[in-house]
Amino acid sequence: MNLHWATLAIIAANVVVSLRGFKDINFFERYKFGIGAIQAGQKDRMVTSGFLHVDLSHLFLNMFTLYFFADVVIRWFGPAKFLLIYFVSLLAGSLLALFFHKKEPYYSAVGASGAVTGILYAAILLQPDMQLALMFIPIPLPAYILGILYMLYSIYGMKKRLGNIGHTAHFGGAIGGYFTTLLFMPSLFATDTLMVILLALPILMLFALEKLGKI
């Protein structure tokens, strides 16, 4: 698999910013996602937080996942649209986190997970027959099945506040990748109608649960 310059640029930016954050706590605290600070006017945190990571393993996992799926999106759309999907997904993750945690001024988060999840969902829409295997599920499964299961797990994680994980940003990133991909390739509504509907169901479920006060 080739490492395209656009993928390399994103990985390099994440590495440089994250390493600075590891060494400089003031830098980390200034640019992480923080509800109170964002509501006070520091909107830049909604983007900068996506380039900070908690530690090397957090950084590696996100960049490894990006490397694995970025090439699919670049092959279909080219580097410019790939970068646009990445940043739209990053921002969508931050916006959804802001929406769901707006009454929690001390809520904070960092990581490229939202943006990377957006790229993952774009890849699934573009290549739904792709087979994926997870460490705890060694048998390859269609990517869309794992995608839907991951979305459902994110809803559960948001509801139960599972672990120190930004489930909301992951879900928001997936939404960003989903809609941006369909905007760039509306023909998917006709050629992969069932896939488009299936991947929309968890999104509809999330907002239905929110409307009912269940999450």
Side-chain angles (χ1 to χ4, degrees), residues 20 61 116 123 130 202 208:
R20 172 72 185 276
L61 180 60
V116 173
M130 185 168 44

Side-chain angles (χ1 to χ4, degrees), residues 96-116:
L96 196 70
L98 185 62
F99 174 75
F100 274 95
H101 300 285
K102 57 182 176 290
K103 295 181 181 178
E104 303 169 46
Y106 297 107
Y107 178 88
S108 64
V110 294
S113 302
V116 173

Side-chain angles (χ1 to χ4, degrees), residues 54-73:
V54 173
D55 53 34
L56 282 173
S57 61
H58 186 208
L59 173 64
F60 174 78
L61 180 60
N62 276 331
M63 296 304 98
F64 181 75
T65 306
L66 176 67
Y67 165 76
F68 196 75
F69 293 102
D71 199 51
V72 174
V73 180

Side-chain angles (χ1 to χ4, degrees), residues 7-17 63:
T7 310
L8 183 60
I10 291 294
I11 291 174
N14 274 277
V15 169
V16 169
V17 175
M63 296 304 98

Side-chain angles (χ1 to χ4, degrees), residues 167-200:
H167 297 287
T168 318
H170 294 186
F171 203 102
I175 293 174
Y178 176 85
F179 283 108
T180 310
T181 300
L182 291 176
L183 180 67
F184 288 156
M185 189 172 285
S187 60
L188 289 170
F189 283 107
T191 59
D192 286 285
T193 308
L194 179 60
M195 195 61 51
V196 171
I197 292 172
L198 288 174
L199 289 174

